[in-house]
Every structure is written in C-alpha cells, then in structure tokens.
Amino acid sequence: MSDQAKGSAPTSAAAPAPGSDTYKGWLFKWTNYLKGYQRRWFVLSNGLLSYYRTQAEMAHTCRGTINLATAHIDTEDACNIVLSSGGRTYHLKASTEVERQRWVTALELAKAKAIRMMNDQSDDSGDEEPTSQSDRSEIQGTLKTLVSKLDDLSTCNDLIAKHGAALQRSLSELEGLRVPVEGGEKIKAVNERATLFRITSNAMINACRDFLDLAETHSRRWQRALQYEREQRAHLEETIEQLAKQHNSLERAWREAPTLAANTASPPATDKEGSERPLKEEASDEDEDTEYFDAMEDSPAFITVTATENTQHRRSQSNLSEASGGHPNDWNQDDHVSPSCNDLAGKELQPRRRRRTHVPDKPNYSLNLWSIMKNCIGKELSKIPMPVNFNEPLSMLQRLTEDLEYHELLDKAARCESSLEQMCLVAAFSISSYSTTVHRTAKPFNPLLGESYELDRREEYGYRSLCEQVSHHPPAASHHVISQRGWTLWQEITIASKFRGKYISIMPLGAIHLQFQSSGNHYVWRKVTSTVHNIIVGKLWIDQSGDIEIVNHRTKETCQLKFLPYSYFSREVPRKVTGVVADSGGQAHYILSGTWDEKIESAKIVQSSRGGSASEGKQKTVYQTLSPKLLWKKYPLPENAENMYHFSALALTLNEMEDGVAISDSRMRPDQRLMEAGRWDEANSEKQRLEEKQRAVRRRREAEVTDALDEECDDSGREYEGYQPVWFHQKRNSITGETNFVYKGGYWEAKDRQDWSMCPSIF
C-alpha cells in the first residue's frame, strides 16, 4: 500500500520557503489498514498544522488540526514524519527525502514560534489593558520581529549542526567500506568537501551566535524601556482615575455646603456685559475647573497701606483691587500721573469704516478631546495633527495681532513725560494682552510657512501691523507694529507647547521690544506661561502664571510683575497680578495690582518700611501708598460672544475680508474661512490638503539642500541659502544679544503697487 501511495501524484507544491509564516503542500496521511496512506492538502500557519482532502475544502471544511506548541516531531525513515500531541498522532509520508526534510524544517520552526507565542501570551496576560495588542508601538513590533527571526536562526543553527554531524558519520562509514580504488578516491573527495562544509558552517554558526548574543542584549534593553513606558502609562491612567474621583467628591461636597461655597474664593465668571455673575452661579461653573496649589506658595512679598488725608487705613495687597471698587476712576481722574499723560490728543480720529460685529455662530459638534490626545502625551503640540473641531477660526498670527486690543495704553504712554509713569502703562499693556484668553480655550490655526497677516488701522487708530510665519519647525512668527502716535513694537515669538496629561502648557519664547520715538525709551519683556486645564475631566479653563520683568534699557528702570496661579484654597483674588515699578537704583515708586482678566490699578508709593516676618520666615516690605487709580479695564465682550468663540470686538474683525491684502494673508486661508462659515467637514479636508502641500514643499526644499551639498562636494561652487522670509530678515539685537527676525521693509510699498509676485503660493 505504501508503495502504491508513493507512486501517486507528487507532493511538492508552490509554497513559501521554510521559516515563513505559512507553508502549504501535499502529503500522504495514514488513514486505516483498509485505505492505507491517502493524499491530503496540509497547511501550516500560526503554529497549527491543518489538513484538507482538497485545496477547495480550505474555504469550508477542515478535516483536522494539531497544535505544534505541544506536539512531538519524529522521523521514522527517509520519507516518514510522525506528529503526536495529546493522544492524537499523525503518520505522514512525503514523496521524497528532500520534500520530507523541507516539511520537518518548517514544522520545527513553526513549533519554536508557537512555543514563543504561548510564552509571550502568558507573560503579557497581566498587561494594564486588554487592547494592548492593537496599541503596540513601533518599537515593540520591531522587537518581536527581530526576536522571531533570531529564534528562526537559532533553530536553523541546531538543524545544520545535527544534519552536518549525521552527514559526517555517513561519509566516515562509507570510507571504511571496501570499494574499488576509483570509488574510494571519490568518497575521499566528498569527505573533504563535507569537512570544508562543516568548517564553513561552524564559522557561520559562531558568527550567528555572536549576533544572537548581541541582539538579545539589545532586546533586553528594549524590553526594559518598553516596560518602563507601560508602567508610566498605567501610572498616568491611575492618576487620571483618582482625579476624576476627587472631582466628583469635591462637586458633591460643594453642593452639600452652600454656605461654605459662598465664602470660598473661586475664579470670577463674567457675563457678556463684563459684570460679575452671582456667586452661586460662579461656584457651579468653576467647580469643574479646579487646580490645587499651596495657598501660601505665591503670596506677595509686600504689604500696602493706603494713605488718605484724614485717616491711615491699612489694606492688604490682596484687597488692593477692591480699593477702587467704590471709586470709579477713569483715565482723566488720575491724580498721580502727570497731566501730559491725560492729554487726549490723537483720540479725535474716529473709525471711518464700519467693521463687522459678528461671525456665524459656532456649530455644536461634540468631540472627545481625550480620545485624540491620549497618545500625544509628552509630544510637541504643534506637531500633532488636529481637526478643526479644536480650533477657532483665527490663525496664530491673528492671535498675536490681538495684543494690540488696548493700543490706547501705548498711545497714552507715548505722551508721558515721566519714564516711571510710562512704565506703569507699558506694564498694564503687557497684562492686557491676556484678557482675551480667559474664555478662549480653542486652539488657533498653525500658520503655514510664509503665511502673513496685516492689520492696517492707520486711519482709525494710527498704527499698522504686519506678521509673518518665518519658521515652521520650530514654529516662529515675527511681528512688527509702527504707530503714528510715537511708538514702535516688534517681537519674534516661538510657541513651545506640551501636553502633560491633564493640562497643556503653552510657553511663548522670545522677547517683545517697545520703543518710544520722542524719549528713546526702549522696553523689553517676555510672556508668561499659559496653561489649559481639565483636558480630561471637567470644563476647560485657562490660567496664566509666572513672572514678567520689564526693563527700560535706556534708564535701567524695571517693573517686576507676578501672575499668581489660581488656587482653590487661596484667599487671594483669582487671576491676580501684582507688580512693583522701581528706578535704576532699585527704589520702588509704584505698586500695580489687579487681575489679568478684568483691570489693573497703580498706586504711588509715599513711604516704605520693613514689616514683620511672614509665615515663611521672610520679612515683608510695607509700602504706604496713595489711593489706587485705574490704569486699564477690560472692554465688555460683544453681544452673543459665547456663541462666537468668545471673540472680542477686535477679534471679530480680524478675519474680515479686505481688498488689496497679500495673497499669503491669513484671511485667504481656505480651511480657516470654511470653519468660520460653519462648514467644518470641508474645513478638515482642506486643512489636510494644505498640510500635505506644505510637506511636499518641505521635501522638495530638503532635496534641493541635498543637491546643493553634493555640488559643493564636486567643487561647483553653488551655495543653497534655504528658506528666506519675504518681509523679515535676521539681525542681531544690540540690547539682548539675540539674533531675531526683524522687519526689513517693503510690504506697504508692495501693497500700494499691488505687486505680490514675491509671496509664496501656499494656499
């Protein structure tokens, strides 16, 4: 019967080489004593050997399967294979010894893989999440592939050693037999070749063993790194769960204790008219917005005492902003600022153009931020692709231009004769730029490289502003403003932002320069860190924290501003800002106090002394001041602002179409325009198109750099400069020593000519 079976159709079939994931072919399987060996189609895949009567049966009927992880593989003679596992035994036969050896090799490799897979599954059974198989990182996949291939190599190593030894024994036995002289010489030649084969194989095996040891060393290192990342992720998710539980507990406690809620400081919520809401509504709004800090951590290092003609009434610095609550001081009721600062010259110019006062209401699209952000922890935010659902229909260049919302402060400062009084107004201007962020939790569009934005308000307010995106990675924008009312402002801002799990930190890097033409006073300062809280649980809210030092480099006068981080348990006024204006010798002259989302007041110091020790053991300075006077107060938001992205009156006009602007102006950006119109799906598609176009341009630019380097190597002399901004160029600042992009001129002249040929086609 076996002879008859051997005479059947050949068993070889088109199949992958042994060692691949799948191996297929015909084999003869022992059925019973009546039928003997029968031809069957065998498929080896994923550690399982299955067989079918025909290839067509693979689609619907499997006749049997054996798991190689627990199977024993044996070879009876030249063509037979015996597989046994759990009381089940397959007697198989190949048509030739070569075919049998191919199957044995494939089966042994598959068995080794099946055992590894079983061990890996048992090791991974305690992973922190059941869906870890679908969330494998690229390094883990590479690691498993490398380990698999190395194990295949190790198995082949064992097979070569085994079969090489058998071949050597067989040849030695043949050499010992009595054969004719000619046959003996041939056997001797074959034996020599076998010896060379063994030597070569041993050399290869040794090299493979060295490689295997090296790979295993790196494998263990990668495994440790991967395990550390898993533990960090598990710890983060544990922390998030605890925060959610704490949030719910605090919410219940807040609602069960209305008396306590009424007496606890919480961030003031303002309605669209700018007035404060009832405190009960405050509590229900802000109980989702809680971030905890030590109550005494950022308390002011000084105390103020307000001096009046009749009485000396002591006030703590934390209540200074309340001092003006009953005194509606205005710009013209400023006793301690010189009369020249109160001059209203220049205010006679009224807006000649009626600008828009609303944009289409924001659509109510729900989207889970955490579902997108959970895999972005620790990454640079500007490199994470975001749908427009998280944006507002303004670019970062337009948000930068919003710093000019309270440009009147600079107009007034330009008319001041006293540099210290001028410093107070400059400080108020630096704080006022944050007032629009209190409700603005949406992300502005990242500008494309070469994108620009102009704001020409010369006829209405006397200034012109121009921004340009001068770098893409890192993202950097340059801004230049010149006013007919005696001041020039310029800055280069690089936004560094990190997602930290439960909050996003936005860190503007770069200095802001402000120069007044009449006095030559040159002020320099930097922005503080903005933090978006409650990314995972609760309502999004923004806080500003950190220190600002404003320096007048002509007179060496300084202003130290401190933005206190919000604390649930602190007795301080929420969103509080304090500051001290000092001369070049360090003598304090003015105290600034208020909140960055509402108002800032200044008080002239008439006397200072060292007070008692604070709770931290440090002495606090006691400043005796005149009554505080209002420097700046936030404009009320427009009607229906809550449905228009909480835009201010200026922000509503920033994306309004204007004639004659550059072809690279942010107003021309199609995805931003579609989002403003409420067509978010189309905006998302257009955003992807623009980003892909930008990536293609960057790849082409990188190829040009490579070509230029190659030509330099060939001594052709060509030098590639790389991307150069259109309206700004790099220049070293003599004051800060930094090299920044500054305005080189030409934009407004090009606008007059309507010649935009130098602008890149980015949209």
Side-chain angles (χ1 to χ4, degrees), residues 658-676:
E658 293 191 11
D659 296 333
V661 298
I663 60 173
S664 58
D665 195 275
S666 297
R667 299 177 180 88
M668 304 295 187
R669 183 163 176 163
D671 53 349
Q672 188 173 300
R673 183 65 56 189
L674 288 167
M675 184 194 177
E676 184 183 272

Side-chain angles (χ1 to χ4, degrees), residues 55-95:
Q55 288 178 297
E57 273 193 352
M58 289 178 62
H60 52 81
T61 305
C62 178
R63 299 293 174 174
T65 300
I66 191 168
N67 188 349
L68 294 178
T70 57
H72 176 69
I73 305 173
D74 194 15
T75 52
E76 293 182 341
D77 55 28
C79 296
N80 284 27
I81 306 171
V82 179
L83 298 176
S84 56
S85 175
R88 181 183 303 175
T89 302
Y90 288 174
H91 293 269
L92 309 176
K93 182 178 290 188
S95 60

Side-chain angles (χ1 to χ4, degrees), residues 485-506:
R485 299 177 184 177
W487 54 270
T488 303
L489 181 145
W490 67 96
Q491 59 182 318
E492 180 190 330
I493 297 296
T494 299
I495 300 296
S497 46
K498 289 287 186 181
F499 177 53
R500 303 293 187 181
K502 64 176 181 176
Y503 63 91
I504 294 175
S505 295
I506 302 169

Side-chain angles (χ1 to χ4, degrees), residues 265 295 298-300 317-319 564 567 569-574 576:
D298 292 292
S299 57
Q317 181 67 12
S318 62
N319 295 323
L564 274 66
S567 171
F569 299 106
S570 175
R571 291 172 295 177
E572 299 287 357
V573 177
K576 183 178 179 180

Side-chain angles (χ1 to χ4, degrees), residues 384-400:
I384 300 172
M386 288 285 184
V388 299
N389 304 57
F390 298 126
N391 286 37
E392 61 180 17
L394 290 177
S395 76
M396 191 63 208
L397 302 181
Q398 291 164 315
R399 283 291 292 267
L400 202 58

